[in-house]
Amino acid sequence: MRAEAEGEGNLGMLMVGNVGVNRVYSDCLDFKNIRNLRDMVFQSPGGFEATTKSYFYQRARERDKKLARRVIAGERFHPASRSLWFFEPTGECPAQWYNQWNTGRYKAHCFFSPTEQDCPRV
């Protein structure tokens, strides 16, 4: 969460955490057979880009662990509460990204969620 969104503060990191937990829980679309957070983070293609940077491999701080525990426990934060994707565009958020609807933006990241029909478990 930190490697993907530290510059967006605690709330931004919590939203990235929501996306990660949603991917593990959803078992739909690009995330079928993802059974744990490690599988999700290193999924190829589609995992977290931060895994390619050395910053990702730094030891988690206590603050980071507390944030992770919150999303694992089920806390959700709009616009990422049902999102399976996020990215940082150079301009405005597109209405859709890979056929998934934009649910909002928080600072630099845009979030995209599947329909309930496509992913009822999210």
Side-chain angles (χ1 to χ4, degrees), residues 13-113:
M13 290 187 285
L14 288 164
M15 289 181 193
V16 165
N18 280 159
V19 170
V21 168
N22 290 343
R23 288 177 177 185
V24 173
Y25 185 70
S26 68
D27 197 29
C28 66
L29 301 173
D30 296 337
F31 309 103
K32 289 185 179 181
N33 300 315
I34 300 294
R35 297 293 176 246
N36 58 56
L37 292 171
R38 182 175 179 75
D39 289 349
M40 180 276 304
V41 168
F42 290 100
Q43 182 185 9
S44 182
F48 281 7
E49 179 184 351
T51 61
T52 64
K53 313 259 187 316
S54 61
Y55 184 67
F56 176 82
Y57 297 93
Q58 293 178 3
R59 181 177 296 261
R61 303 170 298 194
E62 197 54 41
R63 169 185 163 200
D64 305 325
K65 293 175 188 179
K66 286 179 183 178
L67 293 173
R69 286 184 194 108
R70 290 175 64 185
V71 295
I72 291 169
E75 284 189 55
R76 293 179 175 227
F77 303 90
H78 181 77
S81 55
R82 292 193 71 255
S83 293
L84 293 176
W85 300 270
F86 66 93
F87 83 103
E88 184 177 341
T90 55
E92 296 298 314
C93 296
Q96 284 189 321
W97 193 51
Y98 294 104
N99 298 318
Q100 305 305 311
W101 290 102
N102 175 270
T103 53
R105 181 180 199 134
Y106 182 74
K107 295 188 179 181
H109 285 104
C110 302
F111 293 86
F112 299 84
S113 298

